Amino acid sequence: MEFLAEKRKDNSRDMPSRVVETGKELLRRRGARLGVEQWSVREQVFLAALDTNELDVAGSMLKEIEAQFPDSQRAGRLRGLYLEAQGKTKEAAAVYDGLLKTNEINMLAFKRKICLLIAAGKDSEAVTQLTKYLDTFQADSEAWKQLALLHIQCGSFRNAVFCLEEVIISDPHSYISALALADAKYTLGGDVVNIVDARKYYSLSLHLKEGAANPRALWGMMLATRALDEWAADATDSTGKKKQQPKGKAGSDNVAQLVQRNLNTALNMRAQEHIANMELPEGMKDLVTKVAQRFSCKA
Amino acid sequence: MGDKVDEVSDLAAAAKEALAPAQGGIVGRQAHLKILLHAAKHPWAETSGMLIGTETKGKISVTDAIPFCHAPMMAPIVEIGTAFVEEYCKSEQTPEGSKIFGWFYATSRGNVDTVPKPTLAVFKKLQTVSGTQGTCLVRVLNKNLSDESTTALDIMTLKSSGDGFSSSSQWKTELDNTKEFTKLLKEGRQDIVFDMDDFMHDSTSDWRNLNLV
C-alpha cells in the first residue's frame, strides 16, 4: 500500500506492471475496507493497466468507477483514455467534447484533446492548441512543461526556454525546474549570455538541492564553466590582447565581465570535488575521473 | 622483384580496405535486447542511446547499446554521455577496438515515422566525431513489438543526399525475433535498465547495465 501511495504522491508512471499487480492484490484482499482510498487505487490501477496494455483489467476498474461516480467529469476523462487505448480516437474526442460542453473550463478534457493531436503526430497543431490553452490557463505549469517538450522535439530551443521560464516562475523552489532551464539555456547556446545563464540556473539548482544529491547539476555546472572558460580564453590571445568578437556576440569586455573567470574556475573545481566524492557502481570511478578531467577548466 | 610487387599489391589492397566505407554490419543480441528493454521501461517517453561495437574488415559488429535518455534530449546529457561512452570504449571493460557506431531511439507514438530533429542533429554530429562511415541509426518499430516473429528494429543509414534515412539491407540483427525480449519482459527485466538520465539523477545507477541480458 505504501508503494502505491508513494507512486500516487509522486504522480509517477514508473513500474506500471508492479502497480497493476500490487493494486489488484490490495483490492482483492481489502477492497471496500480501504474506504474512499479504494477509488484512488482503482484509478491508479486503471492508468497503469493502460500502460501495460491490460485492457481487460482497465475495463473492469473503469466499470466500477463509473458505477460509483456516474456523472463524474473525472470518470468521463478515464472513459476517454480507455477509448484512446483501444485506438478509438474519434470516440475519445467525442467524449472530451461532451465533457467540455458540460463544463467549458474542464482543463483535463481540453488537455486530452491536445494529447490526441500529439499522439497523431500533429505537433504543430498541438503547439497551437496548447498555446491557446495557456492563454486561458496561464498558471498550469504542467502544460508549460509539455509545451517546452514539444518545442524541444521540434528543435525550437528558444521557445522551449520561454516555456521553462514560465515553469520556474510558478515553482521557483523546484531544483528540477532550475535544472531543465539550465539545460535548455546551455543547449540554446550561440551567445555567451546563454551559457552564463545556464551556469546561474545550475547554481540555483545546486542551492536548492546540494552536491552529490544533484549529480546532473554538478555535471551541467562543469560543462557550462568549461564552455565559458574556453570562451573567455578565445576572447583574448596569448599576449592578453582582446580579440575581435564575432558579430552578434557579446564584446570582449562584456565576455570577461560576464564570465568572471576566477569565479568560473572556482565553480568548476567545486563541482569536481563533489563528483569525486560521489558514490558510484563498481568499476565506474576511473571513467568518472577521466570524464571530469575533460570538463575541467584550463585556468 | 615479383615478391616486392606482391608486397606492394598486398599493401595497396589493405590500404584500400581500410579507407573504404564500412559495408554494413550486424546488431548483436545484447544491444538488441537492451534497446527494447529501455523502451519498455519508459513506454510513455521517447528513449534513445548510443551504439558501440567493433569493426573487422569493413563489417561492423554492434556489441552493446548504452541507453541515454528517457527525458527530453538536450545538449548536456548528450555531451556528458558521449564523453563517458568514449572513455568506456577505451577502457578494458569493452572489447579492444570498441568505437561508437551509431544511435538508437524509440518514439512514444506508434504512428510517427519521421526522425525527430534532435535525433538527426545528434546523428550527424556522431558521424563527424566518430569519423566512421558506417554509422547507423536504429529505430524501434513500435507497431511490430507485439509480433514476436519480427525483430521490431529498423536499421537505417543516412542517404547520400544527407536529408533523410533509408532502411539498410547491409545491416542485420543477430536475433531474428523478439521471443527472448518477451521472456525478459515477463521477468520484469526492464525495471532494472538504467540510462544516463538515471545516472545523472542518482550516481549509483549503472548505465553500463553489465549483467542485464
Side-chain angles (χ1 to χ4, degrees):
Chain A
M1 190 146 157
E2 285 78 24
F3 166 73
L4 293 174
E6 191 68 33
K7 290 291 171 196
R8 284 200 306 276
K9 186 180 81 106
D10 293 339
N11 203 21
S12 165
R13 289 173 68 179
D14 278 350
M15 303 167 84
S17 304
R18 197 169 149 203
V19 168
V20 171
E21 197 183 307
T22 312
K24 274 168 61 182
E25 183 58 23
L26 181 67
L27 289 165
R28 188 189 68 77
R29 284 193 290 111
R30 295 179 59 183
R33 282 180 289 151
L34 290 170
V36 294
E37 199 178 343
Q38 68 170 297
W39 303 109
S40 299
V41 173
R42 285 184 204 282
E43 186 186 32
Q44 187 180 13
V45 171
F46 167 82
L47 292 169
L50 292 185
D51 278 341
T52 58
N53 201 33
E54 290 173 85
L55 295 185
D56 50 339
V57 173
S60 81
M61 293 293 142
L62 181 62
K63 196 174 163 187
E64 310 238 358
I65 291 170
E66 284 181 325
Q68 181 69 16
F69 306 101
D71 299 317
S72 158
Q73 294 246 312
R74 188 164 162 177
R77 174 183 156 257
L78 299 183
R79 167 60 60 179
L81 283 169
Y82 186 59
L83 289 165
E84 283 187 59
Q86 293 173 303
K88 297 176 182 172
T89 51
K90 283 193 179 133
E91 290 89 330
V95 166
Y96 299 136
D97 283 335
L99 292 174
L100 284 166
K101 207 173 168 183
T102 311
N103 175 11
E104 62 182 17
I105 57 164
N106 185 329
M107 291 162 65
L108 295 177
F110 200 146
K111 288 199 278 188
R112 278 321 306 172
K113 286 199 71 180
I114 294 167
C115 289
L116 286 174
L117 291 170
I118 295 170
K122 296 177 182 173
D123 285 357
S124 315
E125 222 176 306
V127 166
T128 306
Q129 289 301 314
L130 195 41
T131 306
K132 188 177 158 189
Y133 168 88
L134 283 163
D135 279 341
T136 309
F137 303 104
Q138 290 164 18
D140 188 341
S141 64
E142 291 303 318
W144 283 113
K145 284 180 196 169
Q146 179 63 56
L147 186 55
L149 173 59
L150 285 170
H151 282 308
I152 290 167
Q153 285 171 345
C154 297
S156 313
F157 289 102
R158 197 169 299 280
N159 291 335
V161 162
F162 178 86
C163 296
L164 291 169
E165 283 170 344
E166 292 292 330
V167 172
I168 211 166
I169 286 168
S170 64
D171 193 2
H173 300 294
S174 163
Y175 79 96
I176 290 179
S177 300
L179 204 42
L181 183 51
D183 281 348
K185 284 271 186 181
Y186 182 88
T187 306
L188 180 59
D191 194 321
V192 68
V193 172
N194 289 325
I195 313 295
V196 171
D197 281 348
R199 186 180 69 185
K200 261 190 251 176
Y201 285 109
Y202 285 128
S203 295
L204 174 61
S205 185
L206 286 165
H207 172 72
L208 294 167
K209 188 164 187 181
E210 279 191 38
N214 195 352
R216 196 173 188 125
L218 291 173
W219 285 108
M221 177 64 85
M222 289 192 60
L223 271 186
T225 48
R226 170 58 192 258
L228 288 169
D229 189 56
E230 286 179 347
W231 210 305
D234 281 347
T236 55
D237 61 22
S238 55
T239 65
K241 190 178 168 190
K242 288 165 193 164
K243 291 181 194 171
Q244 191 172 4
Q245 285 295 296
K247 203 173 177 186
K249 296 198 193 297
S252 301
D253 289 336
N254 286 345
V255 168
Q257 270 179 318
L258 284 167
V259 169
Q260 297 174 275
R261 216 162 169 191
N262 289 340
L263 168 67
N264 197 60
T265 305
L267 287 169
N268 184 279
M269 284 173 62
R270 187 81 186 275
Q272 289 224 30
E273 279 164 19
H274 280 294
I275 283 168
N277 292 326
M278 277 192 314
E279 191 184 344
L280 295 166
E282 199 181 317
M284 191 77 89
K285 183 85 180 166
D286 193 44
L287 295 176
V288 167
T289 305
K290 285 180 176 159
V291 171
Q293 276 169 2
R294 284 200 193 195
F295 297 121
S296 59
C297 289
K298 288 175 196 161
Chain B
M1 180 69 174
D3 290 343
K4 284 288 180 194
V5 169
D6 287 342
E7 200 180 303
V8 169
S9 294
D10 287 344
L11 281 171
K16 192 178 174 186
E17 197 176 304
L19 290 169
Q23 300 293 315
I26 188 161
V27 172
R29 171 190 164 270
Q30 182 172 246
H32 192 155
L33 292 171
K34 281 189 184 179
I35 291 168
L36 295 180
L37 287 170
H38 186 220
K41 186 177 182 182
H42 307 284
W44 57 86
E46 302 218 342
T47 55
S48 55
M50 206 165 265
L51 301 170
I52 62 172
T54 53
E55 185 180 338
T56 310
K57 294 182 182 175
K59 286 287 180 190
I60 296 165
S61 173
V62 171
T63 51
D64 205 357
I66 311 294
F68 267 46
C69 308
H70 63 269
M73 184 166 62
M74 290 197 269
I77 189 78
V78 177
E79 283 189 38
I80 296 161
T82 305
F84 267 108
V85 174
E86 285 176 340
E87 293 298 334
Y88 186 48
C89 287
K90 287 184 211 167
S91 75
E92 288 172 358
Q93 298 181 47
T94 51
E96 195 178 333
S98 288
K99 290 197 296 189
I100 296 169
F101 279 110
W103 191 256
F104 69 85
Y105 77 99
T107 64
S108 55
R109 299 176 279 188
N111 55 359
V112 175
D113 287 334
T114 48
V115 176
K117 279 185 188 169
T119 300
L120 180 59
V122 165
F123 182 84
K124 285 186 171 173
K125 188 71 182 172
L126 272 184
Q127 278 203 304
T128 56
V129 163
S130 70
T132 307
Q133 296 290 331
T135 316
C136 68
L137 179 66
V138 174
R139 170 175 65 175
V140 174
L141 295 170
N142 293 338
K143 291 175 191 172
N144 290 5
L145 280 171
S146 53
D147 182 354
E148 279 186 354
S149 67
T150 69
T151 62
L153 294 184
D154 182 16
I155 308 173
M156 304 182 286
T157 49
L158 197 61
K159 289 181 189 169
S160 51
S161 57
D163 64 352
F165 291 86
S166 56
S167 299
S168 172
S169 57
Q170 293 178 323
W171 278 88
K172 305 277 178 245
T173 52
E174 187 182 342
L175 298 172
D176 58 9
N177 59 63
T178 52
K179 289 186 176 139
E180 192 175 353
F181 166 61
T182 307
K183 178 173 164 284
L184 294 172
L185 210 58
K186 286 178 180 167
E187 289 172 14
R189 204 66 73 90
Q190 73 279 11
D191 291 338
I192 54 169
V193 175
F194 296 108
D195 56 20
M196 290 287 176
D197 270 336
D198 295 320
F199 176 68
M200 292 292 150
H201 177 70
D202 175 358
S203 60
T204 62
S205 301
D206 194 348
W207 49 262
R208 298 169 298 171
N209 299 296
L210 294 172
N211 299 310
L212 183 67
V213 297

